[in-house]
Each structure stands twice: as C-alpha cells, then as structure tokens.
Amino acid sequence: MTQPLPPTTPALVAAFAPGGTLRASINLGNPILANKDATTGEPFGVSIDLAREFARRLGVGIELVVFEKAAASVDAVRNEKADIGFFAVDPARSEGLRFTAPYVLIEGSYLVPEASALTDNAQVDAKGHRISVGSGSAYDLFLTREIKHAEIVRLQGAGPALAAVRAGEVEVAAGIRQLLEGEAQRAPGVRVLPGRFMVIQQAMGTPLSRGAEAQALLAGFVEEMKSSGFVGDALKRHRIEGAIVAPASAS
C-alpha cells in the first residue's frame, strides 16, 4: 500500500484541477504505456494507472483525454486542454511544460528489411538511407537533431512508419524496440538491429503556468511511485516487456 501524499492546500489542488476534475492527456501511440480495450474502448495501461492514482491523492475525479499521437498529447497539456500528461522527455517539448524525472525507460531501435546489409546502428546514418518515423514522436525529435546524412521520412504514426520498410519505401524504420520486435515476429521479411540508438525517458508533465509548488508535488509523486513499487507492479500487471523502472532522481 502506498501512503497518501502530504496534505495539499485547496489552492494547490485547484492548480492541478481548476475545473474540479483532473484532465490527464493519454497517448495511445505508445502501447508500452497506454492501450485501448478492444471490447469496451476504454484506455488502460501504466500511464492510466498513474493518472488515476494521482487524482485519488488529490481527492478529485479523473477525465482521460485520449490521443493517437504523442505530439497531440503534448499540445493538449501545453495549451492547457489537459492538466497532466505522460511524455518522453525531449528539449523540443520543453516550451510551456515542466517535466518530472522519468518513471520508465524505453529503448529506441531500428527495423530493417531481412535482406538489408545493415548490421549495426552506426551504419544507419549514411547518404542514401531513408529512415521512417512517426511524426512528432520522441525518436523523430531525437533523430532530427542527431542524423546528419540520412533522410528522415515523417509519417502519421508508428504503423505507417513500419509498413514503409516492408513496402521498400525506406531502408530503415525507427521506433520503440518492443513495437519493432512485435512487427518482426508478426511476419517474416524484417528484423531489428541489435542494441538501441537512444533511451526514451518517459515522464509526467504539467503546464509551466501551474507553478513551482504544483510541479514539485508532481515530481514527488513520481519519485514515490517508483520507490514504492507502484510503477514496477503496473509494468508487470500489464505484461509490459522492453521497459524498466527509471532510477530515483538525483535532485
């Protein structure tokens, strides 16, 4: 059992839930953290568990504001159409937002055709190579800064990005390692390169305008959820592989 957060003032609760209900932005584009029940259509996953627990600690109701892509989920919080969100930490997303330390670490990897000559991540960034990514994803933002020679092909989500490899439209697809391994297992013709090209740091975030005290409360909540075993238990409960609980924040 987790212990309740220290008492919060009505003003601090109102900073998170000005309308009396905590609006949590949920990104279904990252199935490690959120999915939709095929029967009921209701979202479920690690991020939903964290959102519900934080609302319970605040003593308010919860509204899940669901998006198919990370970029839209980020924009909802930045534009204060949601009060909290669950994002990969990236400098390109920092404007107007304040992130906690990460609660989960996820590997970003490359998918290539089975017949590709590529065997190592370092070989990908070469002239003539095209890399498909989900537009606005954490790996899109990272590769936009890091790739010097290859061409980045931005598509509307992970599905089209993976399909582009099979169709021969690109030489490489970038994505969450678990998704890529699932695609390789689904049907022959593609394989995942060994290792990773980045570690995706998944954190919680809130609008910068909510103030330093609110940001500190959310940061403390994340640290408690890691140390108490809540995040680890959620990963096990939802049968998530390819992600680990982030270490405690040094700050």
Side-chain angles (χ1 to χ4, degrees), residues 125-162:
D125 188 14
K127 188 174 181 179
H129 289 167
R130 296 162 296 179
I131 308 169
S132 61
V133 300
S135 178
S137 63
Y139 33 94
D140 176 14
L141 300 177
F142 178 85
L143 293 174
T144 296
R145 292 191 299 272
E146 299 297 324
I147 292 296
K148 307 302 181 186
H149 307 289
E151 175 190 355
I152 299 175
V153 179
R154 297 173 179 85
L155 300 172
Q156 295 302 306
L162 302 187

Side-chain angles (χ1 to χ4, degrees), residues 51-126:
R52 294 190 186 283
E53 178 63 12
F54 189 58
R56 187 188 72 81
R57 301 293 189 92
L58 293 176
V60 298
I62 182 80
E63 176 188 352
L64 302 179
V65 187
V66 180
F67 298 94
E68 298 292 334
K69 293 176 55 182
S73 181
V74 171
D75 286 343
V77 178
R78 180 178 288 127
N79 297 324
E80 304 209 33
K81 294 180 180 178
D83 306 305
I84 61 170
F86 300 83
F87 317 123
V89 177
D90 189 278
R93 292 175 173 170
S94 61
E95 183 179 355
L97 297 176
R98 180 62 61 88
F99 295 102
T100 68
Y103 60 91
V104 161
L105 304 178
I106 302 170
E107 293 183 333
S109 297
Y110 291 126
L111 184 77
V112 298
E114 188 66 52
S116 172
L118 295 174
T119 58
D120 186 84
N121 292 325
Q123 299 170 338
V124 169
D125 188 14

Side-chain angles (χ1 to χ4, degrees), residues 7 21-22 25 39 75-76 94 152 190 207 215 245:
T21 299
L22 184 70
S25 181
T39 302
D75 286 343
S94 61
I152 299 175
V190 293
Q215 293 152 15
V245 179

Side-chain angles (χ1 to χ4, degrees), residues 2 10 26 33 37 40 48 57 95 103 112 131-132 149 155 179 186 198 203-204 208 212 216 223 229:
T2 55
I26 302 297
L33 300 179
D37 187 280
T40 66
I48 289 86
R57 301 293 189 92
E95 183 179 355
Y103 60 91
V112 298
I131 308 169
S132 61
H149 307 289
L155 300 172
L179 275 182
R186 183 182 66 81
M198 71 176 297
M204 292 182 70
L208 187 63
E223 293 307 307

Side-chain angles (χ1 to χ4, degrees), residues 110-119 165-168 170-172 180 183-185 187-193:
Y110 291 126
L111 184 77
V112 298
E114 188 66 52
S116 172
L118 295 174
T119 58
V165 172
R166 291 191 182 275
V170 299
E171 287 69 40
V172 182
L180 304 189
E183 178 65 20
Q185 293 169 5
V190 293
R191 58 185 168 84
V192 182
L193 291 185

